[in-house]
Amino acid sequence: MFQSISSRVIRTAGQGLDKVGMMFEMNPHIERLQPSMRNAALGKHTPTNVGSFVAPSATIVGNVSIGEHSSVWYNAVLRGDVSAIKIGNGVTVGDRAMIHSSGQIASIGDRVLIGAGANIHGCTLADECKVGHMATVLDKATVQKHAIVADGAVVTPGTTVKSRELWSGNPAKFERELTSKEIAQMAFEVADNVELSVAHAEENAKDWRQIEEEEEIREEESQRNPFYYQRLSEDIKSSMMGETEGHAVPGRIFNSDLSAYNDDETRNGFYKSDADDRAEYFKKLHNVTKEPTLKHQMREMKRLMDEEEAAKKAAEEAKDEKK
């Protein structure tokens, strides 16, 4: 009881502070957090997603199932609020695409390409077909295997787009037969999208600490002169800081191999002396820095310094001879 009352009081106080703050703003507004709709339950149905990429701004609601290696891209909407939506493996649902079921299951097979802004409404898309950008496939229509609906085309209700055919226009009509090269190209596009979705999934999974660290590294690499001390790799930093097996090296304290790596690189313990330590470190650093341009710059810098030193020495000798 006390917790309920105190939370209500705090919430009311916060709303009052928001209103007071708005009085001092040139363009008053209140920022509101938009909840994620990537996996929103509706009634008894919760979307099921097996090993696929769903963009943070995508919306998946209700009775929706998505297979492996599929991808639902940014601002796409999948609404399984009336009937089920079933999506197979390796399917690409492009940016801003809309899939909705209306009394009939929206069935999408394996390795299907759905372009950006496409509208899929209570229809059936067979395996390995393609629906172009901004195209529409309406209720009870069927797009068969290896068929393509062209960009912007509208497939009217109950229409069947037959295998290996290209349909275009509004309403969509048969245009021509597809070539074997065009069909093979769809398979390549599916593979490219799967690979790209993995990269996007990895980036979207990063927390703010990783993003800040990578931003710092990019800024440093773009601005730091190659002659300056370079950023160390994780392996070298771990070795220099005395980390083994995720812990500080007891060998540094006890001079033993209690928990040090048991391999030739660390000689069954920490380095025997600081001199050996530095030698090993620079050996590793040399192996990491293999770019020929950097080596060339270092050699060129040394050559110029040697020439400058030689010229300075010759000038001093000439000055001594005159005396």
PDB file of all heavy atoms in Angstrom, residues 83-95:
ATOM      1  N   SER A  83      -5.318 -13.061 -38.531  1.00  0.00           N
ATOM      2  CA  SER A  83      -4.921 -14.452 -38.782  1.00  0.00           C
ATOM      3  C   SER A  83      -3.402 -14.543 -38.665  1.00  0.00           C
ATOM      4  O   SER A  83      -2.717 -13.539 -38.479  1.00  0.00           O
ATOM      5  CB  SER A  83      -5.379 -14.907 -40.174  1.00  0.00           C
ATOM      6  OG  SER A  83      -6.792 -14.835 -40.277  1.00  0.00           O
ATOM      7  N   ALA A  84      -2.894 -15.759 -38.821  1.00  0.00           N
ATOM      8  CA  ALA A  84      -1.466 -16.000 -38.624  1.00  0.00           C
ATOM      9  C   ALA A  84      -0.640 -15.530 -39.824  1.00  0.00           C
ATOM     10  O   ALA A  84      -1.120 -15.472 -40.954  1.00  0.00           O
ATOM     11  CB  ALA A  84      -1.219 -17.483 -38.367  1.00  0.00           C
ATOM     12  N   ILE A  85       0.602 -15.198 -39.548  1.00  0.00           N
ATOM     13  CA  ILE A  85       1.599 -14.920 -40.581  1.00  0.00           C
ATOM     14  C   ILE A  85       2.727 -15.929 -40.384  1.00  0.00           C
ATOM     15  O   ILE A  85       3.322 -16.001 -39.304  1.00  0.00           O
ATOM     16  CB  ILE A  85       2.158 -13.489 -40.470  1.00  0.00           C
ATOM     17  CG1 ILE A  85       1.052 -12.465 -40.705  1.00  0.00           C
ATOM     18  CG2 ILE A  85       3.293 -13.277 -41.463  1.00  0.00           C
ATOM     19  CD1 ILE A  85       1.491 -11.024 -40.486  1.00  0.00           C
ATOM     20  N   LYS A  86       2.997 -16.725 -41.409  1.00  0.00           N
ATOM     21  CA  LYS A  86       4.048 -17.741 -41.331  1.00  0.00           C
ATOM     22  C   LYS A  86       5.131 -17.427 -42.356  1.00  0.00           C
ATOM     23  O   LYS A  86       4.860 -17.360 -43.555  1.00  0.00           O
ATOM     24  CB  LYS A  86       3.465 -19.131 -41.574  1.00  0.00           C
ATOM     25  CG  LYS A  86       2.479 -19.573 -40.501  1.00  0.00           C
ATOM     26  CD  LYS A  86       1.994 -20.993 -40.729  1.00  0.00           C
ATOM     27  CE  LYS A  86       1.041 -21.432 -39.613  1.00  0.00           C
ATOM     28  NZ  LYS A  86       0.564 -22.825 -39.813  1.00  0.00           N
ATOM     29  N   ILE A  87       6.348 -17.239 -41.852  1.00  0.00           N
ATOM     30  CA  ILE A  87       7.487 -16.873 -42.696  1.00  0.00           C
ATOM     31  C   ILE A  87       8.542 -17.960 -42.568  1.00  0.00           C
ATOM     32  O   ILE A  87       8.896 -18.367 -41.455  1.00  0.00           O
ATOM     33  CB  ILE A  87       8.055 -15.503 -42.282  1.00  0.00           C
ATOM     34  CG1 ILE A  87       6.999 -14.418 -42.492  1.00  0.00           C
ATOM     35  CG2 ILE A  87       9.316 -15.180 -43.063  1.00  0.00           C
ATOM     36  CD1 ILE A  87       7.437 -13.040 -42.057  1.00  0.00           C
ATOM     37  N   GLY A  88       9.064 -18.426 -43.694  1.00  0.00           N
ATOM     38  CA  GLY A  88      10.028 -19.519 -43.707  1.00  0.00           C
ATOM     39  C   GLY A  88      11.452 -19.074 -43.412  1.00  0.00           C
ATOM     40  O   GLY A  88      11.691 -18.027 -42.791  1.00  0.00           O
ATOM     41  N   ASN A  89      12.404 -19.864 -43.884  1.00  0.00           N
ATOM     42  CA  ASN A  89      13.826 -19.608 -43.636  1.00  0.00           C
ATOM     43  C   ASN A  89      14.441 -18.764 -44.754  1.00  0.00           C
ATOM     44  O   ASN A  89      14.079 -18.899 -45.919  1.00  0.00           O
ATOM     45  CB  ASN A  89      14.584 -20.934 -43.535  1.00  0.00           C
ATOM     46  CG  ASN A  89      14.041 -21.831 -42.449  1.00  0.00           C
ATOM     47  OD1 ASN A  89      13.615 -21.351 -41.399  1.00  0.00           O
ATOM     48  ND2 ASN A  89      14.046 -23.132 -42.691  1.00  0.00           N
ATOM     49  N   GLY A  90      15.375 -17.902 -44.373  1.00  0.00           N
ATOM     50  CA  GLY A  90      16.110 -17.118 -45.359  1.00  0.00           C
ATOM     51  C   GLY A  90      15.277 -16.084 -46.087  1.00  0.00           C
ATOM     52  O   GLY A  90      15.615 -15.686 -47.202  1.00  0.00           O
ATOM     53  N   VAL A  91      14.208 -15.619 -45.468  1.00  0.00           N
ATOM     54  CA  VAL A  91      13.313 -14.640 -46.102  1.00  0.00           C
ATOM     55  C   VAL A  91      13.789 -13.224 -45.785  1.00  0.00           C
ATOM     56  O   VAL A  91      14.225 -12.930 -44.667  1.00  0.00           O
ATOM     57  CB  VAL A  91      11.867 -14.830 -45.607  1.00  0.00           C
ATOM     58  CG1 VAL A  91      10.950 -13.741 -46.170  1.00  0.00           C
ATOM     59  CG2 VAL A  91      11.358 -16.208 -45.990  1.00  0.00           C
ATOM     60  N   THR A  92      13.697 -12.331 -46.761  1.00  0.00           N
ATOM     61  CA  THR A  92      14.015 -10.921 -46.563  1.00  0.00           C
ATOM     62  C   THR A  92      12.735 -10.100 -46.626  1.00  0.00           C
ATOM     63  O   THR A  92      12.043 -10.100 -47.644  1.00  0.00           O
ATOM     64  CB  THR A  92      14.985 -10.411 -47.645  1.00  0.00           C
ATOM     65  OG1 THR A  92      16.198 -11.168 -47.585  1.00  0.00           O
ATOM     66  CG2 THR A  92      15.306  -8.945 -47.432  1.00  0.00           C
ATOM     67  N   VAL A  93      12.422  -9.413 -45.532  1.00  0.00           N
ATOM     68  CA  VAL A  93      11.294  -8.480 -45.504  1.00  0.00           C
ATOM     69  C   VAL A  93      11.892  -7.085 -45.480  1.00  0.00           C
ATOM     70  O   VAL A  93      12.472  -6.654 -44.480  1.00  0.00           O
ATOM     71  CB  VAL A  93      10.395  -8.711 -44.263  1.00  0.00           C
ATOM     72  CG1 VAL A  93       9.230  -7.729 -44.275  1.00  0.00           C
ATOM     73  CG2 VAL A  93       9.889 -10.154 -44.237  1.00  0.00           C
ATOM     74  N   GLY A  94      11.798  -6.379 -46.588  1.00  0.00           N
ATOM     75  CA  GLY A  94      12.518  -5.119 -46.773  1.00  0.00           C
ATOM     76  C   GLY A  94      12.022  -3.982 -45.894  1.00  0.00           C
ATOM     77  O   GLY A  94      10.980  -4.066 -45.231  1.00  0.00           O
ATOM     78  N   ASP A  95      12.780  -2.906 -45.909  1.00  0.00           N
ATOM     79  CA  ASP A  95      12.439  -1.715 -45.130  1.00  0.00           C
ATOM     80  C   ASP A  95      11.034  -1.220 -45.498  1.00  0.00           C
ATOM     81  O   ASP A  95      10.671  -1.150 -46.675  1.00  0.00           O
ATOM     82  CB  ASP A  95      13.446  -0.595 -45.413  1.00  0.00           C
ATOM     83  CG  ASP A  95      14.872  -1.036 -45.168  1.00  0.00           C
ATOM     84  OD1 ASP A  95      15.436  -1.710 -46.071  1.00  0.00           O
ATOM     85  OD2 ASP A  95      15.415  -0.727 -44.115  1.00  0.00           O
TER      86      ASP A  95
END
